[in-house]
């Protein structure tokens, strides 16, 4: 069923919350949805690679916290330029991923044990870096970092982004169609392609039109507040990058092969260990980017950054979106859709005044339902 349950659930949730509270679909709340779901969605994108192998990374949340702490220390305490601090932060995530992947692939320790140990250890590392609980603020002079989650594209750039996205999808769909026809392979009908392109055009058109409305209560006093959040094109770029890697490269095909059947992949000449290590590197690298975005969102870093329910929501986002916990099936787009579902649940229930325990119960129920659909789908495939 792929992402169909997530899309259907997203539509139903938006309809229910809009009926319950008309403020849900206001321009201000729509902008909040994008910014609130940013860190979770980015971390979930990286987790997709590990889940595709049938593995798990329980340390992704605190990996993001460690990398965010490194960023804040270099920016605020050491006075480094933002690009150097970001580079070191991401490099820290990559190094963590390599270590985890090496222990799983070469030493043979189960990923659950390795990443659970890292989950516990990285909490201590964050405390050490932050000197047992110090809150490090991201200063206003670090405008690039702060802008990631707190600034917006101009209305014109929002329309340009929508037009480029629709045009890119149209080109990709048409090129794939022509190539498959030229090779005598089955391909989607032109009508289906038109529906996809038109659906994206309508969706982005409505989103840009809503987000370009003035959201400031008093523009003369507080300044104008309109446009698409900058985090949206950032997530779009990451989505395109990793989708191309998974769908159009040899490495991506090898990831699916290892996740589908490890022994068959090994006998086919695929370096299973290299694929496993690479998946953990990508996962932790994306966790680092998620940590940077979280630091931008809060304008600071503290011992709770990357902790609490960050990991659970990130794993839940990937699974709810359609990525299988059993390996071999999933897309990076699943993380984006699942992240949207998680963000909508938290945001909508907050608007309706529900307490935290209700949010946890509902989110857990949605995750259980998604895992159940995945298990039943695999069972049906095995029988047929």
């Amino acid at each position: 069923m792929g992402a169909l349950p997530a899309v259907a659930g997203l539509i139903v949730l938006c309809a229910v919350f809009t009926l319950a509270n008309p403020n849900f679909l206001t321009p201000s709340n729509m902008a909040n949805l994008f910014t609130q779901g940013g860190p979770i969605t980015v971390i979930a994108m990286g987790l997709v690679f590990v889940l595709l192998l049938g593995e798990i990374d329980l340390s992704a949340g605190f990996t993001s916290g460690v990398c965010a702490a490194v960023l804040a220390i270099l920016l605020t305490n050491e006075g480094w330029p933002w690009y150097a601090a970001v580079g070191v932060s991401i490099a820290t995530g990559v190094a963590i991923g390599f270590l985890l992947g090496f222990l799983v692939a070469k030493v043979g320790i189960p990923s659950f044990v390795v990443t659970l140990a890292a989950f516990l250890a990285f909490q201590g590392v964050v405390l050490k870096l932050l000197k047992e609980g110090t809150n490090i603020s991201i200063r206003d002079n670090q405008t690039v970092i702060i802008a990631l989650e707190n600034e917006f594209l101009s209305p014109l750039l929002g329309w340009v982004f929508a037009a480029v996205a629709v045009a890119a999808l149209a080109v990709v769909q048409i090129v794939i169609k022509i190539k498959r026809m030229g090779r005598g392979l089955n391909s989607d009908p032109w009508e289906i392609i038109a529906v996809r392109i038109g659906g994206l055009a309508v969706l982005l058109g409505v989103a840009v039109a809503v987000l370009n409305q003035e959201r400031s209560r008093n523009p003369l006093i507080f300044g104008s507040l309109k446009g698409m959040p900058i985090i949206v094109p950032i997530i779009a770029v990451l989505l395109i990058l990793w989708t191309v890697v998974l769908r159009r490269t040899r490495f991506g095909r090898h990831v699916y092969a290892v996740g589908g059947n490890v022994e068959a992949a090994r006998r086919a000449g695929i370096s299973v260990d290299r694929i496993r290590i690479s998946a953990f590197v990508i996962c932790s690298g994306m966790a680092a980017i998620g940590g940077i975005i979280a630091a931008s969102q809060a304008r600071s870093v503290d011992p709770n950054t990357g902790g609490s329910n960050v990991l659970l929501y990130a794993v839940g986002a990937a699974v709810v979106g359609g990525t299988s916990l059993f390996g071999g099936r999933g897309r990076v787009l699943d993380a984006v859709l699942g992240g949207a579902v998680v963000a909508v649940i938290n945001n909508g229930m907050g608007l309706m005044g529900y307490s935290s325990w209700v949010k946890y119960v509902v989110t857990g129920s949605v995750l259980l339902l998604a895992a159940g659909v995945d298990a039943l789908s695999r069972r049906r495939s095995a029988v047929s």
Side-chain angles (χ1 to χ4, degrees), residues 258-310:
V258 173
N261 190 313
V262 175
E263 186 58 32
R266 182 180 289 110
R267 293 187 179 188
I270 296 174
S271 176
V272 174
D273 290 349
R274 180 179 63 84
I275 295 299
R276 282 177 170 164
I277 293 174
S278 300
F280 278 96
V281 167
I282 292 172
C283 181
S284 295
M286 289 296 288
I289 297 175
I292 293 170
I293 295 172
S296 172
Q297 185 182 71
R299 295 176 182 257
S300 64
V301 175
D302 60 55
N304 291 323
T305 301
S308 185
N309 50 20
V310 170

Side-chain angles (χ1 to χ4, degrees), residues 101-151:
F102 180 85
L103 292 174
V104 172
K106 297 297 185 180
V107 181
I109 306 175
S111 60
F112 179 87
V113 176
V114 171
T115 58
L116 178 60
F119 171 86
L120 298 172
F122 290 160
Q123 294 182 62
V125 173
V126 172
L127 287 173
K128 174 62 177 177
L129 292 174
L130 299 179
K131 299 179 180 179
E132 299 296 331
T134 303
N135 185 307
I136 301 180
S137 298
I138 307 296
R139 299 196 187 104
D140 288 337
N141 60 344
Q142 304 295 341
T143 54
V144 174
I145 300 300
I146 292 177
L148 296 178
E149 279 276 62
N150 297 283
E151 297 295 336

Side-chain angles (χ1 to χ4, degrees), residues 71 74-75 78-87 142 145:
L71 173 80
L74 295 179
L75 283 177
E78 304 298 329
W80 282 34
W82 69 268
Y83 49 86
V86 167
Q142 304 295 341
I145 300 300

Side-chain angles (χ1 to χ4, degrees), residues 342-368:
V342 172
V344 165
I345 291 174
N346 285 328
N347 182 280
M349 290 195 165
L351 289 177
M352 293 173 66
Y354 287 110
S355 57
S356 296
W357 75 267
V358 179
K359 297 179 184 178
Y360 287 128
V361 169
V362 172
T363 305
S365 300
V366 171
L367 174 57
L368 181 61

